[in-house]
Amino acid sequence: MSEITVELTVNGRVRTATVPARTTLADLLRDTFGLTGTHLGCEQGVCGACTVLLDELPVRSCLTLAASCPGSEVVTIEGLDDPDAERIRAAFSREGALQCGFCTPGMVLSCYDLARRRQVLTREEACVALSGNICRCTGYNGIIRAVRSAIAEGIESE
């Protein structure tokens, strides 16, 4: 099996690894770099649990080959550390958007991407925007309230 060497910035730190060419970004993050906050659910890109930010865009890390990421910047749930992330975490706690926690990292990263845009979303727009993230526990109401309130708080703070 052929191997590749990948250098990328993960959570602000330059990381290098030599891995099999077919290694996914999720496996690189979890198995090589020990960043197990990136969860693997379906491993088919359906559930959204593996969502990370790749060059500031949310992607399914289970479908993204590590070989396609040289020089990229990756942010995982462990790397979210700014006022937007704090607002989202507080909103998730306040609005009851947490239960088992399996979907939470991918859901938080998707919400973070929405919050950074500073665009008010209707309930329906928030539902559509988060439709790529599956939660089997909460019924989504708390999650939708959390993302909408975090966005509103972000706009108010500017």
Side-chain angles (χ1 to χ4, degrees), residues 36-91:
T36 56
T38 300
H39 290 169
L40 288 173
C42 68
E43 295 191 59
Q44 297 176 10
V46 176
C47 73
C50 68
T51 301
V52 299
L53 298 179
L54 178 64
D55 296 327
E56 299 188 1
L57 296 174
V59 299
R60 302 289 196 258
S61 63
C62 75
L63 295 180
T64 305
L65 290 176
S68 69
C69 302
S72 291
E73 182 177 343
V74 177
V75 177
T76 69
I77 192 71
E78 294 93 342
L80 286 184
D81 186 25
D82 67 10
D84 285 331
E86 282 300 315
R87 275 190 290 279
I88 291 166
R89 283 192 284 270

Side-chain angles (χ1 to χ4, degrees), residues 6 8 10 15-19 23-35 61 66-67 69 74:
V6 180
L8 53 141
V10 180
R15 306 289 300 260
T16 303
T18 300
V19 294
T23 300
T24 65
L25 180 58
D27 288 336
L28 177 70
L29 294 169
R30 291 180 55 81
D31 300 339
T32 305
F33 299 148
L35 298 170
S61 63
C69 302
V74 177

